[in-house]
Amino acid sequence: MLLPRDWQAKLRLRLAFPLTSVQLCLLAVVAGAAAALLILLFRLTIIGIQSFYLDRTDDFSGIAAEYRWILPFVAALLISLMVMLIGLAHYRLGIAYVIHRVKTRYGVLPFRNTCYQFFGGIIALSSGFSVGREGPSVHLGAYAAGQLGHYLQLPYNSIRILAGCGIAAAISASFNTPLAAVIFVMEVVLREYRIHVFIPVMLSAVVGALLSRGVFGMGNDLAALQIISISGWHLPYLVLCGIGIGAAAYGFNQSIYWLLKLSRGWHLAVKLLVAAALTAAVGHLIPQALGAETGAIFYSVTAADQFWLLLGILLAKFLLTVVAVGLAVPGGAVGPVFGIGVLMGTILSMLPSWLADAPEFAGTYGALGMAGFMAATLHAPLAALVAVMELSYNPDVIVPAMLVIICAYVTTVQLFKNKSIFVLQLELQQLPYKLAPADDVLQKVGVLAMLDKNYLLLHNASDQDIQAVLDQKEPQQLLLVQSQQGLDWLDYDLTTAMTEQTALKRDTVQKLDHQATMADVHAVLDEQKGGLVAIYDPAQAESLLGIIRWEQVRVLLTKENNLI
């Protein structure tokens, strides 16, 4: 540990409170930098590998057909071998898994899962599978930031915030969309808007964007789209477009859910082999559909007036993404969702372009299609709106984007009862992602913020010594006795108060780590609705930091929610 012990104690105490602090902001900068650097390494590795056989990154149409057949099978073999080394128990990954860990484990991710995500994502994205880099980015960002908190042994409530910071920095570094990254974290991952969370997450996103721009410049995935203002006569047509996009999003999510359910009992190697075979077969016929989102966006720009080509790429991209995500290929769905949305919007632009004899509408409709499809599939309408604003650098797209997003989201939710793709994955894998209202409040407060030190501590005391102390202590003080058997809470047994015999009541006190939150205290004391827990620092196993009483949990829930 680099910090002096007294500084460590002050830092942990400050971060145990659910308040904005300079310390948390500084940690957010470090966490954001660590996450962004890991993502840059991830992206540069993919680009470096693809440079050996692709003329343009993520465009597989220019390589020989036999390579398009071989690459997916080689990737499936390498990923299967890697899983054998790491272990099948550690293949859960991606955004859905991160949401689960943020809600139930404060964002702490296992090392082996992260290794699989890093190397598996590189292999899958380098070989033409239709997956996005955002899945690995979110996982790697959360891990990098969480490791910082773990190294400093920070309270878990602050590690959870740092995990959100790492995710925001990772998305920002991956797509050059810092504001959309912040909204995505708050809307999809953390599912809350708290000022003490929002500020450090925003700061990490800025760090991620600056580092990404230092390496890749100011460009982004939609930079090639020519976005122009559209007049009011487009709006009725955009309503119909939004409805159609919402219906397509339902078909997309349900197809992935159906394939996940169908292949649930298959061995992972079999899943990858089937995914490789389908990817190779479709990629042989329509190579423009291979890869993440950039290839699809490229052809939306260069072949905006070729209806049948774009329709073929769209259908193939749709199928390949369903296959890759549904058969557990390492990677995410958001990148392909971008590509599918842009293709869909470009195709939908052909009617107004033909009516107005103005083909330049293709870029605008492509951006609107991306926003609508992202909102409907991910259930992240605000993140979709902000993403299209940042990626387009054009404020004129805001009103039509809002209209398309609203129509697509309402259609998919109200008419088709469609759930977020992440929620479908979590429910199918039976991974909890919701918290009880009490835990949701209590997770935000570390035990160090609520320490009670109004107690007396004796070591290996006799009953006579205990009774002497009980007779002399203040009424509100508690008496704790440390023995070889553990820590006990001693008091007079009031059930014997009317008899001549005086008896002692001895209750065992459970111990919690100083990183715990009040939710952990609630989990220990909830059944008996009383008692207390003792807080220790593992580095000082014999030193009691303080206690937490049940009354403090109750007060926090009933009287002080305005502080959370």
Side-chain angles (χ1 to χ4, degrees):
M1 194 75 66
L2 298 179
L3 297 175
R5 187 169 296 279
D6 57 336
W7 287 20
Q8 296 173 28
K10 291 179 181 179
L11 175 64
R12 294 167 184 167
L13 178 60
R14 189 70 183 87
L15 296 180
F17 291 89
L19 300 170
T20 305
S21 65
V22 174
Q23 295 91 331
L24 184 57
C25 290
L26 292 175
L27 287 170
V29 171
V30 178
L37 290 173
L38 189 58
I39 299 309
L40 293 178
L41 175 63
F42 180 78
R43 291 183 63 183
L44 290 171
T45 303
I46 294 170
I47 293 172
I49 293 174
Q50 288 189 347
S51 66
F52 286 104
Y53 48 86
L54 298 183
D55 295 329
R56 192 175 64 84
T57 302
D58 208 35
D59 183 6
F60 291 81
S61 62
I63 63 173
E66 56 267 24
Y67 288 113
R68 293 199 299 270
W69 274 103
I70 293 172
L71 280 174
F73 287 101
V74 172
L77 176 62
L78 291 176
I79 295 171
S80 298
L81 292 174
M82 183 176 59
V83 171
M84 290 175 61
L85 294 174
I86 295 176
L88 277 173
H90 302 282
Y91 80 91
R92 282 178 169 170
L93 39 78
I95 295 177
Y97 180 67
V98 172
I99 293 173
H100 158 71
R101 297 292 296 194
V102 165
K103 287 297 183 182
T104 61
R105 295 292 186 273
Y106 303 104
V108 177
L109 294 167
F111 174 71
R112 290 189 179 185
N113 295 67
T114 306
C115 285
Y116 176 43
Q117 181 69 94
F118 182 82
F119 294 106
I122 289 174
I123 295 170
L125 285 161
S126 300
S127 58
F129 281 110
S130 184
V131 291
R133 62 180 180 268
E134 84 294 331
S137 297
V138 166
H139 194 119
L140 297 172
Y143 176 80
Q147 283 299 110
L148 173 64
H150 179 71
Y151 174 73
L152 296 174
Q153 296 184 1
L154 301 179
Y156 282 123
N157 64 305
S158 61
I159 292 180
R160 180 173 175 268
I161 296 174
L162 288 179
C165 293
I167 295 169
I171 296 175
S172 181
S174 188
F175 293 101
N176 193 19
T177 54
L179 183 54
V182 173
I183 301 301
F184 183 85
V185 169
M186 311 301 282
E187 188 175 34
V188 177
V189 181
L190 298 181
R191 299 189 174 196
E192 62 175 342
Y193 289 88
R194 307 280 182 178
I195 191 66
H196 75 281
V197 179
F198 191 83
I199 294 298
V201 168
M202 185 166 24
L203 189 56
S204 290
V206 170
V207 173
L210 292 176
L211 289 175
S212 177
R213 291 171 184 178
V215 176
F216 296 104
M218 292 292 293
N220 58 60
D221 288 345
L222 298 190
L225 294 181
Q226 201 170 25
I227 299 175
I228 63 171
S229 301
I230 56 178
S231 57
W233 69 267
H234 288 264
L235 299 183
Y237 179 63
L238 289 178
V239 171
L240 297 177
C241 291
I243 294 173
I245 290 171
Y250 169 75
F252 181 78
N253 284 10
Q254 289 301 309
S255 297
I256 291 177
Y257 179 77
W258 172 82
L259 189 54
L260 284 168
K261 192 172 182 180
L262 175 68
S263 61
R264 185 162 47 180
W266 299 2
H267 191 279
L268 183 61
V270 176
K271 292 182 184 181
L272 295 173
L273 183 61
V274 173
L278 292 172
T279 300
V282 175
H284 178 72
L285 298 174
I286 308 178
Q288 298 90 339
L290 294 173
E293 74 279 1
T294 53
I297 294 173
F298 173 78
Y299 287 100
S300 296
V301 174
T302 57
D305 57 345
Q306 299 182 39
F307 174 79
W308 293 111
L309 174 61
L310 292 183
L311 181 61
I313 297 175
L314 172 62
L315 295 177
K317 191 72 179 171
F318 192 101
L319 174 61
L320 291 181
T321 305
V322 169
V323 167
V325 177
L327 294 177
V329 174
V334 178
V337 162
F338 280 11
I340 292 171
V342 171
L343 286 166
M344 204 177 299
T346 304
I347 292 173
L348 291 171
S349 74
M350 292 183 179
L351 178 59
S353 295
W354 176 73
L355 291 175
D357 194 22
E360 64 269 16
F361 293 142
T364 303
Y365 271 76
L368 298 178
M370 185 215 76
F373 198 63
M374 177 182 174
T377 54
L378 309 184
H379 283 207
L382 187 56
L385 176 62
V386 174
V388 76
M389 289 168 52
E390 283 191 292
L391 291 171
S392 65
Y393 292 111
N394 191 331
D396 294 332
V397 79
I398 295 176
V399 172
M402 291 175 69
L403 183 60
V404 173
I405 287 171
I406 291 169
C407 294
Y409 184 77
V410 172
T411 297
T412 198
V413 172
Q414 184 71 25
L415 186 59
F416 293 101
K417 312 297 181 186
N418 190 27
K419 295 182 179 180
S420 162
I421 188 171
F422 305 131
V423 171
L424 291 174
Q425 289 175 309
L426 287 165
E427 290 181 350
L428 190 63
Q429 297 177 43
Q430 297 181 339
L431 295 175
Y433 63 96
K434 293 182 180 179
L435 293 175
D439 289 336
D440 192 38
V441 171
L442 296 173
Q443 270 196 1
K444 298 176 178 62
V445 184
V447 292
L448 295 179
M450 304 292 291
L451 285 182
D452 183 350
K453 298 192 177 183
N454 188 19
Y455 60 85
L456 297 173
L457 179 62
L458 301 179
H459 292 273
N460 300 313
S462 65
D463 287 353
Q464 290 182 342
D465 295 335
I466 293 171
Q467 290 186 18
V469 173
L470 286 174
D471 292 338
Q472 297 176 8
K473 75 177 183 64
E474 297 177 5
Q476 296 301 319
Q477 277 187 318
L478 300 181
L479 177 59
L480 305 177
V481 177
Q482 180 70 56
S483 64
Q484 293 181 349
Q485 287 72 33
L487 185 68
D488 293 323
W489 170 23
L490 274 297
D491 203 350
Y492 284 123
D493 189 351
L494 297 180
T495 60
T496 64
M498 302 302 294
T499 68
E500 296 182 356
Q501 184 180 8
T502 301
L504 294 175
K505 182 177 67 171
R506 186 184 298 267
D507 293 317
T508 301
V509 179
Q510 294 195 45
K511 300 179 180 180
L512 283 178
D513 190 280
H514 71 283
Q515 292 182 272
T517 68
M518 293 300 289
D520 301 308
V521 177
H522 181 265
V524 173
L525 303 179
D526 182 48
E527 184 176 351
Q528 62 196 64
K529 296 294 189 293
L532 54 91
V533 296
I535 309 302
Y536 283 85
D537 181 349
Q540 307 174 63
E542 301 301 322
S543 177
L544 176 63
L545 299 179
I547 60 173
I548 305 288
R549 311 188 197 201
W550 169 255
E551 181 64 18
Q552 294 171 274
V553 177
R554 190 189 65 81
V555 169
L556 189 62
L557 286 173
T558 57
K559 295 184 179 180
E560 299 184 12
N561 279 351
N562 59 317
L563 298 179
I564 306 302

